[in-house]
Amino acid sequence: MRAGSRAIVCVTVMALCGHGWAEVVNIVTEPTRIERGAEQEWTAGAMPTKGNTVLLEFTARTDAPSCSGSTYMIWLYVNGKRVTAAKTRRVTRLLNKPLSFQYSPELRSDADNIIRIQHTGSAALAKSAGGEIPVYIGMMRLSTKTGKSPVAQAREVIAQPINCGEPGVGPAVYEGGVLNSGGFEVIVGGVRYAFETRISYPHGGFNYLEATPEPTRQGQPEWHVSQKPGRRAALLLGEGPD
């Protein structure tokens, strides 16, 4: 990966209080560019929120001429209200990033839903990166699932006991190994846990380190995965043109 390609930001947001998802509404299917200081708005129809969980998912990538460290430059709004990552310190809305922020808004079941992303990158950040820093939204979708969301049951979650330093049971016995496509697996108690990695390239596409014997998804044609012996385990190396 070229040093000038900023890393992907993969976000999965629990946007509603209320995994086989019954219905999927695709909002963004082709990479959409958002310039620094600009914003993009999409309209989705009413969602069946009563008794359901609704999940908002999107991927985003910043393309920049050079690496310039970590920064926050995307604000997400649903129906005019800024979405934050958690309802309380212990009830998170982000499924894959357990951060603690404030309460975020609900989607509508009786009217269209407006989703807006704002690029908040500064001129100083662009200058330090050596050029413009557009954001690409690679995909966005809404999914519904029958059953009340854990976020809607905050009181039940808050009532759960917290470990205050009591001794644990120790590490579990496990087996594991790497796979030809670059991913790896861990088996604990007869259950297989597969781990894979997505590495973005310019304009919001992905190359993959998959937890499969052979590749099943296509990234850049030049992308390839190899293994090298390490001191304790095999080293996985993914290489591409960017």
Side-chain angles (χ1 to χ4, degrees):
M1 181 178 291
R2 194 174 58 219
S5 294
R6 296 289 299 278
I8 189 73
V9 180
C10 296
V11 183
T12 304
V13 178
M14 183 70 72
L16 260 183
C17 63
H19 269 282
W21 297 91
E23 179 183 351
V24 176
V25 177
N26 291 312
I27 301 170
V28 176
T29 57
E30 296 292 335
T32 300
R33 178 178 173 125
I34 304 176
E35 300 292 347
R36 179 177 57 83
E39 59 186 38
Q40 181 71 41
E41 188 174 281
W42 299 269
T43 299
M47 299 300 296
T49 61
K50 187 175 182 179
N52 293 326
T53 295
V54 180
L55 184 77
L56 172 63
E57 300 173 274
F58 68 89
T59 61
R61 175 194 167 94
T62 303
D63 285 353
S66 67
C67 295
S68 56
S70 175
T71 188
Y72 301 102
M73 63 172 63
I74 291 179
W75 284 359
L76 171 67
Y77 295 83
V78 175
N79 297 325
K81 295 182 180 180
R82 185 179 169 190
V83 176
T84 49
K87 194 169 185 177
T88 72
R89 289 182 59 195
R90 296 179 57 198
V91 183
T92 60
R93 289 175 176 270
L94 280 173
L95 296 186
N96 63 337
K97 298 181 187 299
L99 307 176
S100 294
F101 292 100
Q102 298 300 313
Y103 178 72
S104 62
E106 314 296 358
L107 294 176
R108 299 167 179 158
S109 60
D110 57 355
D112 285 346
N113 291 282
I114 309 299
I115 299 167
R116 175 164 54 96
I117 288 181
Q118 184 178 3
H119 186 341
T120 63
S122 65
L125 179 62
K127 183 178 180 180
S128 69
E132 283 307 312
I133 48 174
V135 165
Y136 285 87
I137 305 301
M139 60 78 70
M140 184 187 294
R141 64 189 174 205
L142 282 166
S143 307
T144 61
K145 172 187 173 184
T146 302
K148 206 172 183 180
S149 165
V151 178
Q153 304 169 43
R155 292 181 181 178
E156 298 175 20
V157 176
I158 292 171
Q160 294 175 3
I162 300 176
N163 185 292
C164 298
E166 297 87 348
V169 297
V173 178
Y174 68 92
E175 298 177 347
V178 298
L179 299 163
N180 292 337
S181 297
F184 65 95
E185 63 182 7
V186 176
I187 301 172
V188 182
V191 179
R192 177 181 181 265
Y193 298 91
F195 295 82
E196 67 173 29
T197 303
R198 296 192 299 175
I199 300 98
S200 69
Y201 54 83
H203 307 306
F206 287 99
N207 294 314
Y208 298 90
L209 298 174
E210 297 185 85
T212 57
E214 299 297 334
T216 63
R217 288 176 286 185
Q218 178 66 48
Q220 293 173 299
E222 303 89 346
W223 174 259
H224 66 279
V225 177
S226 60
Q227 295 186 28
K228 295 183 178 181
R231 295 180 60 183
R232 296 185 178 181
L235 299 177
L236 300 173
L237 180 64
E239 297 180 283
D242 297 298

